[in-house]
Amino acid sequence: MNFLRTLRPNALPYFLQDLSPLQQHREIVLQHTLNFLTLFFLAGSGILRVLFPNYLELATQGLFAGIGLGILALFRRIPFNWRALAVLLVFAFMGASDLLANGLNGNGMFYLFTFALLSMTFFGTVPGIILTVLTAVGELAVGIMMTTGTIQAPVERIAGSTQLVAWIFHLIAFVMSAGVLLSAIYELTVGFAKRLSEKENTINTLEHDRTNLENALRALNAETRKRNAMAEASRNVLWSVYPETTLESLLPKAAEVIKEQFGLYHVGIFLLDEKGEYAVLRAATGEVGKTMLENQHRLRVGQVGIVGHAAATGEPNISPNVDEDPQHYPNPLLPETRSEAALPLRVEGRLIGVLDLQSTEIGASFVEKMETMKDVADQLSILIERVGLMEKLQASLKEMEENTRQTVRTGWLQFFRNKRRQRYAFSMRAGGAHLPSSNGGEGGEPLKGTTLAVPIKIRNETLGVVNLKFATGKVPPEVANLVEQAVNRMAISLDNVRLLEEIQMRADRERIVSEIATRVRATNEIEKILEITAQEIGRSLGASDVVVHLDTRK
């Protein structure tokens, strides 16, 4: 089988498959030619031996030629140029021998013509032209020598045209030359047609691939544009609500922006109550949303609607067609709802609410849109948590400020009581300074001109005021700012003085208590302990009478 496969022209061995397409084609034509010539010479040799015993020498030559060509056909590792030259030499030898022996009446012209065509086929245009010119020059030289008598024309060969054998040899030469040429032309034609068909198939395949690639690219561009639009809508939502600092402003604005950016029918934001039993509507779009908020709309977790189910599971609940979803809770205020999605609002795994999205769309487009909305829900959850923490922080700061103000007010009231005074006042006029009494007015006549009143504040608690009169019609801003800074520093100094006195008073009280305790511990008599305690308390507090009762009676 390998032997027969080697002889097949189109079955190129592995060591010939790296050749260029043109050289592979020449190899195929050469193998066709060798196979044909081998069979022709071997068969012709046998026919001559049987039918024409007188041409035994010619039959022997044909046998050797067939064997040699068969070896070249079988051993394809022999270089191409050597095998091709062997074929050309056969035709050149046969053509030259016949032309010298028979002149124009022989078959030499067939052989030489075949030689020229095969040389061009095997070695290309330039070598073929050169060999063709040399063949033509050789034929011309033989013709000149025969016409001038240098070479004697064989008259007996010319006369042999009436013999059958001459015609048979002529036919054999024609068949051999025509067979070789037809084989080469057939292979060239078939090879060309095959290459052309392969090229067309390749072009069609490339065209089909190009069409598929263009369609895929258009689909990818469309999908990219859609995703970019969704991403842009998401960014618009976040940028619109990010500056908000209270839930009362954040939630309604988020609902409206989401509805506008994503082309939805209705948007609602539910937050869980403190017990986690109900999802309470905190923001909704349109007049319907206002009505639902006025009705204090809420849904029980895990029992009512798509929102309730999402609040119970903590997972997105997307219904592309609510008419086919048994979990859908039909709201008579929203009759055009065809699809709904409930996206959980979670912060660090903790569910804080549900984002309810309703649309008039049905099917895949709504589902694709909801995939983007999941990211929006996650970002919105973070914003809600941040704003909630800010509100709690602000409430704590207000409570702390109020406690601080109350502490300051209580401290100054106690300070005034300790000083047995209701107020402090100081006035300065052009005529000099005057410090009025603690309970009286400032005295003097009312001042005329522009008044600048700067409150005396200590930790936002107003304790008094500084009034300044200017003769000018308007107080410059820089002057007002300077006065305000001075008053603020004065307030700090006043409070420091109060705190210092309070600390001193506490120290005195602690000292008195310590002295009383020391003297009490020095005696073991009850009467003496009561006497020492009453005396020390009266002396320290300035009390005229001190009575101590120690009685176990009911």
Side-chain angles (χ1 to χ4, degrees):
M1 296 298 293
N2 292 333
F3 172 77
L4 295 177
R5 181 177 177 83
T6 304
L7 295 176
R8 288 174 55 188
N10 293 322
L12 292 175
Y14 69 91
F15 51 81
L16 296 177
Q17 294 180 359
D18 294 335
L19 299 176
S20 65
L22 177 60
Q23 194 60 33
Q24 289 182 5
H25 206 63
R26 288 174 176 172
E27 173 66 30
I28 293 173
V29 173
L30 175 60
Q31 190 64 27
H32 271 291
T33 304
L34 287 171
N35 291 343
F36 177 80
L37 291 177
T38 299
L39 293 176
F40 181 83
F41 279 110
L42 293 178
S45 175
I47 293 173
L48 288 177
R49 286 179 180 276
V50 175
L51 299 180
F52 304 99
N54 296 331
Y55 294 93
L56 184 59
E57 182 181 355
L58 184 58
T60 303
Q61 295 176 357
L63 177 62
F64 283 113
I67 294 174
L69 293 173
I71 293 173
L72 294 177
L74 184 60
F75 295 98
R76 300 181 72 171
R77 282 187 176 275
I78 299 175
F80 172 83
N81 292 339
W82 293 6
R83 298 161 68 217
L85 285 174
V87 173
L88 294 178
L89 288 176
V90 169
F91 281 96
F93 176 76
M94 293 171 61
S97 300
D98 193 88
L99 187 64
L100 292 173
N102 301 315
L104 295 177
N105 291 326
N107 301 314
M109 297 297 293
F110 290 114
Y111 301 138
L112 295 177
F113 180 70
T114 304
F115 168 80
L117 288 180
L118 288 179
S119 63
M120 186 174 295
T121 302
F122 293 151
F123 297 105
T125 304
V126 175
I129 292 175
I130 294 174
L131 293 176
T132 300
V133 171
L134 294 176
T135 302
V137 171
E139 291 180 3
L140 180 61
V142 172
I144 292 173
M145 286 187 290
M146 283 189 176
T147 55
T148 56
T150 305
I151 299 177
Q152 296 294 327
V155 179
E156 66 277 7
R157 296 290 187 182
I158 298 175
S161 298
T162 59
Q163 297 178 5
L164 178 61
V165 176
W167 286 101
I168 290 175
F169 278 111
H170 184 81
L171 179 62
I172 291 173
F174 176 78
V175 169
M176 184 180 67
S177 299
V180 172
L181 293 176
L182 289 176
S183 177
I185 293 173
Y186 171 79
E187 181 57 34
L188 290 173
T189 303
V190 171
F192 178 77
K194 183 179 179 181
R195 297 291 181 184
L196 183 61
S197 177
E198 291 176 353
K199 184 177 181 180
E200 290 179 353
N201 292 335
T202 302
I203 291 175
N204 293 334
T205 301
L206 292 175
E207 184 68 21
H208 183 265
D209 293 342
R210 184 180 68 85
T211 302
N212 292 338
L213 184 60
E214 289 178 350
N215 294 334
L217 185 59
R218 282 194 292 269
L220 180 60
N221 289 336
E223 182 67 19
T224 302
R225 287 194 296 271
K226 184 185 299 184
R227 290 183 179 274
N228 289 339
M230 292 294 100
E232 182 67 22
S234 301
R235 286 193 294 270
N236 292 338
V237 170
L238 298 177
W239 280 112
S240 299
V241 301
Y242 187 80
E244 304 300 328
T245 57
T246 63
L247 291 179
E248 286 71 16
S249 60
L250 170 67
L251 298 180
K253 188 169 185 179
E256 291 293 343
V257 175
I258 290 173
K259 177 184 177 183
E260 177 184 354
Q261 291 294 326
F262 290 91
L264 298 173
Y265 172 51
H266 175 76
V267 176
I269 300 177
F270 292 80
L271 296 182
L272 297 182
D273 61 8
E274 294 182 356
K275 296 182 179 180
E277 296 178 353
Y278 290 92
V280 182
L281 184 66
R282 295 291 302 273
T285 56
E287 295 298 326
V288 173
K290 292 181 180 179
T291 303
M292 296 171 66
L293 290 172
E294 291 174 357
N295 296 336
Q296 298 181 352
H297 182 69
R298 65 178 186 172
L299 298 173
R300 193 168 186 86
V301 174
Q303 296 184 10
V304 182
I306 294 176
V307 172
H309 184 266
T313 62
E315 298 295 331
N317 193 358
I318 301 175
S319 177
N321 189 349
V322 296
D323 294 335
E324 300 176 355
D325 193 340
Q327 293 181 352
H328 174 64
Y329 172 73
N331 190 336
L333 298 177
L334 300 170
E336 299 181 17
T337 298
R338 295 294 177 267
S339 55
E340 183 178 5
L343 305 179
L345 301 174
R346 290 173 297 191
V347 178
E348 297 180 353
R350 178 172 54 88
L351 185 69
I352 62 174
V354 177
L355 177 62
D356 182 39
L357 308 168
Q358 300 185 30
S359 174
T360 57
E361 298 176 315
I362 295 179
S365 60
F366 177 75
V367 176
E368 292 177 0
K369 190 178 295 184
M370 292 306 101
E371 292 299 323
T372 303
M373 283 303 305
K374 291 179 182 179
D375 296 333
V376 177
D378 292 338
Q379 297 297 324
L380 182 60
S381 302
I382 297 174
L383 291 178
I384 292 175
E385 182 72 5
R386 178 179 67 86
V387 172
L389 292 176
M390 289 179 60
E391 288 185 341
K392 292 180 181 179
L393 179 60
Q394 290 176 354
S396 299
L397 289 176
K398 288 182 179 179
E399 182 180 359
M400 186 181 299
E401 289 178 358
E402 184 63 28
N403 292 335
T404 302
R405 290 178 58 188
Q406 186 66 29
T407 301
V408 171
R409 175 176 289 275
T410 302
W412 276 97
L413 289 175
Q414 184 64 38
F415 178 78
F416 279 113
R417 282 197 296 268
N418 294 335
K419 295 294 184 179
R420 295 181 175 86
R421 302 183 63 168
Q422 295 181 353
R423 63 195 298 267
Y424 281 90
F426 179 83
S427 63
M428 183 186 71
R429 298 190 179 184
H434 173 66
L435 182 64
S437 63
S438 60
N439 297 321
E442 295 182 5
E445 298 181 356
L447 296 174
K448 297 182 180 180
T450 302
T451 301
L452 174 64
V454 180
I456 302 174
K457 287 186 176 182
I458 299 176
R459 297 181 180 88
N460 291 329
E461 178 65 23
T462 302
L463 298 178
V465 64
V466 175
N467 294 318
L468 295 93
K469 279 289 185 177
F470 294 91
T472 58
K474 184 178 180 182
V475 180
E478 58 272 14
V479 174
N481 185 44
L482 177 63
V483 173
E484 183 177 356
Q485 292 182 12
V487 171
N488 289 337
R489 295 193 178 186
M490 180 192 71
I492 294 173
S493 298
L494 291 175
D495 200 46
N496 289 338
V497 171
R498 178 188 67 82
L499 292 174
L500 180 59
E501 290 191 7
E502 182 177 342
I503 293 172
Q504 290 175 346
M505 291 180 63
R506 288 181 180 179
D508 292 340
R509 286 196 295 268
E510 290 294 332
R511 180 181 55 77
I512 293 172
V513 171
S514 177
E515 290 177 354
I516 294 174
T518 301
R519 294 189 60 186
V520 166
R521 285 195 299 270
T523 181
N524 294 325
E525 299 178 3
I526 294 178
E527 292 79 2
K528 196 64 175 177
I529 292 175
L530 297 178
E531 179 184 357
I532 292 173
T533 301
Q535 290 176 353
E536 292 297 330
I537 290 176
R539 183 178 59 82
S540 300
L541 300 180
S544 59
D545 297 322
V546 177
V547 179
V548 180
H549 290 279
L550 183 63
D551 192 353
T552 59
R553 292 176 300 174
K554 301 296 183 182

